[in-house]
Amino acid sequence: MWHDTYLKAVLQPDYTYASEHLLPHLFDSLTAHALMLDSVGVAHAAEAARLLQAMRREPFPPYDPLVEDVFFTVDRGLASLNPPAAGALRTALSRNDLDMTIYRLAARLRLMRALFRVLNLRRTLLAFADREIDTIIVAYTHHQPAQPTTLAHYLTAVENNLARDTQRMFEALARVNLSPMGAVALGGTSFPIDRFRTAELLGFERPIENTYDAVSASDWQVEVASVITVTSTTLSRVLHDLLFWASRGLLALEDGLVQGSSVMPQKRNPVALEHARTKFSKAIGMTQSVILSSHNVPFGDINDPGPDMQPPLSSMWQEFREGVELMTASLQNPVINREKWLHEARRGESPITELADAITRKTGCGFRVAHGRVKTLLNQLHDEERTIDTLTLGDLQGIGVDISSAELQSALNPAEFIARRTTLGGPAPSVMRGELDDAHERLQADFARHEGLTGRFMASRAQLEGAGGERPPGG
């Protein structure tokens, strides 16, 4: 009989978690194992597979302190229906390889869902950018106004980053999608099993070639946590900007994503963005639990990177999912104050780099000298408490620069500043349209890749669930 403390602190919570999150993967793994055993001639394995397909459609038994875990619940139930089938199923099977298979299947599903949500966020960003190719904003560096650009340029930069995150997720998925089944406890088995067949049935790419590695490794879980950390960190930075813009009235969320105040009637708090930021912070916090559970522990089958790691992983997936969903909803229909942003660009000093460029082109003095002259001019304006839109030709002549009025106005025009930035990746609308076309094409390829994998994994699940199957007696 188990100690009450161990029951309450470990066995019952593990049973509850597995019942809520892991049962489909448990039945998939056991059914695939049974079908493989039947294919190599193990007697009664086919009956085990049919009964498992039937048992998974029945309500799963509640927690019983006399039964250690969900595996033994299934084992006991199968034995009550057909002892030879239960005996066959236990051939070349350990909870060591079974558990790691279940965890990989669960991670595969959650990673595929996370990928789909990131793809939807990318689609939302690109649709937003399509509408804002000509919307002028002031970009900041070191928390100070820097240069004019477009909102589309910013949004496409974020989508570019998420496209790399998407590739990281696909690459992590390739290392998750490997089969531990057949490793048994750690040394394999003397039975003539077919590990490739089991991997194929479960939709895995292939078996893990070393059986010790199959039951011991946690690198794939740490990698998944690291990918979520990278993506969450990027999105938290974007949220910082969105909240900054919202605080200055440059961006407003639709009514269903803001909250008012019980005291201040004017308040429209962008709470969806705040909650998204918190979600990503919590996701990153959970990833540290995952990483630390694998730190400084033996390289073998142990609980730290096994069952004890699964709840933090689940919380990580949930927080990340909710953060991405909140962010996607927030970016679908925001209100952009284009006039206010344009006013900031015209009145501020962000276009001043182009004046130095214009002086360089006009005089041939070199950008270093032109930069110094413009710096002197700015200092003069600051001393006189003037803005750059008050600059005159006389001011320029005072620093030894002779350009026309048209050249001065063009140099200080934010729209012309942007239109001249036609280098690869620049914000000029002529360049941005092509960049957006490429981004849409890349996104569609990623959606197609995801769809192909989804079809493969769903077909595997459908085969293992079985279209029919006999019902347990009395079921």
Side-chain angles (χ1 to χ4, degrees):
M1 190 66 182
W2 300 103
H3 193 287
D4 283 347
T5 300
Y6 190 65
L7 284 171
K8 293 175 182 177
V10 177
L11 293 183
Q12 186 168 3
D14 282 357
Y15 192 96
T16 300
Y17 178 83
S19 298
E20 294 175 353
H21 299 281
L22 301 177
L23 287 183
H25 310 301
L26 169 66
F27 278 108
D28 283 351
S29 301
L30 291 175
T31 304
H33 181 66
L35 291 171
M36 180 278 295
L37 291 175
D38 179 56
S39 73
V40 298
V42 175
H44 307 293
E47 292 91 328
R50 286 193 293 271
L51 286 169
L52 286 167
Q53 289 173 338
M55 289 172 68
R56 72 186 298 158
R57 292 190 287 272
E58 299 297 319
F60 199 74
Y63 176 68
D64 180 348
L66 298 177
V67 183
E68 185 174 338
D69 57 23
V70 291
F71 167 74
F72 280 116
T73 298
V74 173
D75 177 69
R76 179 177 289 194
L78 187 60
S80 70
L81 298 172
N82 188 325
L89 184 66
R90 296 287 290 272
T91 305
L93 178 69
S94 165
R95 282 182 297 170
N96 294 3
D97 62 341
L98 176 63
D99 284 352
M100 296 312 291
T101 301
I102 292 168
Y103 301 151
R104 282 178 180 265
L105 289 171
R108 184 176 77 184
L109 176 62
R110 301 297 287 271
L111 184 52
M112 286 290 288
R113 290 174 175 172
L115 261 166
F116 188 71
R117 290 183 175 92
V118 171
L119 292 174
N120 277 330
L121 176 55
R122 287 172 56 193
R123 180 161 54 191
T124 298
L125 284 163
L126 291 179
F128 192 180
D130 285 335
R131 302 191 300 269
E132 308 296 339
I133 288 178
D134 296 310
T135 300
I136 295 171
I137 70 171
V138 176
Y140 277 55
T141 61
H142 302 284
H143 305 277
Q144 295 295 306
Q147 291 185 334
T149 188
T150 65
L151 186 52
H153 193 220
Y154 177 93
L155 295 169
T156 308
V158 176
E159 193 279 334
N160 277 9
N161 207 313
L162 290 177
R164 293 193 296 274
D165 290 332
T166 299
Q167 296 313 306
R168 292 184 186 98
M169 290 183 176
F170 277 128
E171 290 163 8
L173 179 66
R175 286 179 280 275
V176 168
N177 198 37
L178 302 174
S179 176
M181 285 297 281
V184 200
L186 62 86
T189 179
S190 58
F191 290 99
I193 63 172
D194 184 351
R195 293 189 63 209
F196 284 92
R197 177 58 178 156
T198 313
E200 179 186 16
L201 287 165
L202 289 167
F204 285 125
E205 191 66 31
R206 58 175 172 80
I208 298 171
E209 52 266 47
N210 183 290
T211 57
Y212 197 108
D213 176 26
V215 300
S216 304
S218 61
D219 62 305
W220 59 276
Q221 296 181 99
V222 172
E223 181 178 15
V224 166
S226 298
V227 170
I228 295 301
T229 297
V230 171
T231 308
S232 296
T233 300
T234 296
L235 294 178
S236 73
R237 296 179 67 189
V238 178
L239 283 164
H240 183 282
D241 292 342
L242 296 174
L243 285 163
F244 176 62
W245 296 342
S247 73
R248 299 176 58 232
L250 300 169
L251 173 148
L253 302 186
E254 58 183 291
D255 289 346
L257 297 168
V258 299
Q259 285 184 285
S261 165
S262 60
V263 174
M264 298 168 281
Q266 83 281 9
K267 293 285 279 181
R268 292 186 83 259
N269 301 321
V271 290
L273 298 176
E274 292 179 351
H275 286 298
R277 180 176 59 187
T278 302
K279 298 290 184 183
F280 292 129
S281 297
K282 290 164 72 175
I284 293 171
M286 289 300 169
T287 67
Q288 301 312 298
S289 297
V290 172
I291 293 169
L292 291 174
S293 292
S294 292
H295 171 66
N296 199 28
V297 296
F299 185 67
D301 180 76
I302 52 174
N303 285 312
D304 307 56
D308 290 350
M309 189 184 283
Q310 303 317 303
L313 272 171
S314 181
S315 296
M316 176 196 79
W317 291 121
Q318 178 179 339
E319 299 295 347
F320 181 77
R321 180 198 77 210
E322 293 172 353
V324 173
E325 289 177 346
L326 282 168
M327 198 165 180
T328 301
S330 298
L331 293 175
Q332 285 173 345
N333 295 297
V335 176
I336 304 301
N337 193 331
R338 298 177 182 86
E339 287 300 318
K340 190 169 186 178
W341 236 320
L342 181 59
H343 179 75
E344 179 184 1
R346 286 173 172 167
R347 296 273 297 178
E349 298 172 356
S350 61
I352 203 70
T353 301
E354 184 58 29
L355 180 58
D357 288 349
I359 293 171
T360 302
R361 287 191 293 267
K362 178 78 172 181
T363 68
C365 65
F367 185 80
R368 185 173 184 275
V369 172
H371 180 280
R373 288 177 177 176
V374 172
K375 183 79 170 176
T376 299
L377 184 62
L378 283 174
N379 289 336
Q380 176 185 325
L381 290 178
H382 295 162
D383 289 342
E384 298 172 2
E385 298 184 351
R386 294 166 56 197
T387 56
I388 66 166
D389 59 334
T390 67
L391 269 176
T392 66
L393 295 179
D395 294 322
L396 290 168
Q397 291 165 359
I399 60 169
V401 174
D402 185 17
I403 62 175
S404 69
S405 177
E407 288 170 327
L408 173 60
Q409 294 306 313
S410 176
L412 299 181
N413 185 314
E416 293 190 36
F417 178 105
I418 292 166
R420 292 189 180 97
R421 267 61 188 175
T422 58
T423 50
L424 176 66
S430 59
V431 173
M432 187 54 55
R433 289 186 180 90
E435 185 177 342
L436 279 165
D437 288 343
D438 291 344
H440 280 292
E441 185 176 343
R442 179 182 59 207
L443 176 60
Q444 289 309 309
D446 287 341
F447 264 117
R449 184 178 180 184
H450 184 276
E451 184 178 359
L453 289 168
T454 299
R456 173 182 165 187
F457 300 150
M458 289 179 64
S460 170
R461 167 63 59 80
Q463 180 181 5
L464 293 170
E465 284 180 332
E470 90 184 53
R471 295 176 65 84

